[in-house]
Amino acid sequence: MMSDEFEVRLEEGLKRWASAGEATPNLDELIKNGMAKGARASGQVASERPTVARKPWARLWALRPVRAAAATAALAVVLVGTFPTWAGAVADWPLIGPVVTEIVMQDAGLKWAYENGLIQKGIAEARDGEMVFKVLGVMADPLRTTVIYQISGVPGTSGAKTTATGAAPGDSKPVPATESDPPLPAPDTAAWPSVAIASVDGQGAASWQQSPVRTPLGWVGAISTYALEKDSAELKLEVRYGGHRLSLSFQASRAGAARFAREVKAPVGSQGQLADGVTVTLDSVIYTPAETLVKYDVKKPMFSGGYSSGGTSLSHYIEAGGRRLDPVQSHGGWSADGSSVTMFEVFPAVSGPAKFVINGDVYGKETLLTWDLTAGSKQSVDGAPVTLTDAHWDGARFQAQWTFATNDKFVGMAEFDVVDASGQAYPLKAVSEGTARSSQQVTKTIVAELPTGFHPVAVRAHQVGMIAAGPLVFDLPR
């Protein structure tokens, strides 16, 4: 969100608040103090006319009757200084704060939760020098847990080091910067702070961050993890920006959102089979005002490699009301024996009859494919040639790359080892993989470590990822 867009939306929000007559206690004092702050920040006195260009907000306010106190408060903000000058100062004002919060929640896809009062607010904050990491709100429902945050006071001086301690509320623990930390980005950089949900109730957690936006209020963004397993849990967040590191812990609860969610179990026998004996069982569907979660189980051999899921052969989607709805988020967990995976796929909200469509899925198949370490070496998987286009090593670092035609049969290889001239094999562990897919070709790259003195002459794959074709179509239970 650009600053100009944020300003326009804030203007609209202020008009709504003024129209509703949302006056606050001691409003006259609030206006007076706010104008003084703005005048000091912009180098003016309150009676002076601002020298910066102004939007015609006063004329817009005059188009509708509003309560004088609320309108005066809004105009006081508008008429003093530029937007960046006053925005940070007014974020906590009783009149402006809720408007800013509403905009943030809407951008995070949580407008429905905000409107129903489900956002836990004023959670915690941590400080490291001038940098402030604030949790604006938390939303925990049966689909996911989302944290809305703001990072302000980000320093613009490259290489600055800090030793400040954290500030309550919240368990804030700044970590001293080290000389190996990257320099702090300059104010105009496009890089953003890294935020992660490190743990839930002390257990390591996976999280995904929507790209934060840089606004006059600082960096504002959202980060999510899976649904809480209990009604409440302790979340630990970690943020890094240049040499600054903060951690922050607080409690999150899903109790408030539970009454807005509805889980419907699938009828007994909601099961189907893709090609090659891959079985899919629909478990349940959770409906919320904003999203729909489909939970299902897939019985199949695990494929341990990475692959690209582009194209239509692996697409999953919902058909509802003549529209196709693609998933906005997907995750799963394997059984202890690796024979099945429970999947959770989140889609936009649906109403009325809907169908869940699975076009295909990937499973693992044991094999043995060997490529000599010469460019152009080929092997075949179900009639499709897989060509080794590059293989080299530099000391202990081994790298190999393959290409094969895009197809609906297999997606890649896994479980690699290398062989030397004597026939001794060395399993490639901690393999780093990359897969690129176009309409014509798939390129797969691996990088791994070799033991000192090992000279490979061939690379082998012991597993391939195959596509079990569909489609399978399930009527979603209502």
Side-chain angles (χ1 to χ4, degrees), residues 5-6 16 44 114 154 168 185 237 247 261 275 279 407 415 478:
E5 179 188 350
F6 193 91
R16 292 197 305 271
Q44 304 163 354
Y114 179 85
V154 173
L237 269 66
S247 66
T279 302
N407 65 86
E415 297 182 5
R478 298 298 305 182

Side-chain angles (χ1 to χ4, degrees), residues 161 177-182:
K161 304 293 182 181
T178 65
E179 294 303 321
S180 62
D181 287 330

Side-chain angles (χ1 to χ4, degrees), residues 145-147 195-200 203-208 223-226 235-238 250:
T145 303
T146 299
V147 177
V195 181
I197 299 176
S199 66
V200 177
Q203 300 296 315
S207 61
W208 49 97
I223 186 164
S224 300
T225 187
Y226 304 138
L235 271 60
K236 180 180 180 181
L237 269 66
E238 294 182 348
F250 56 90

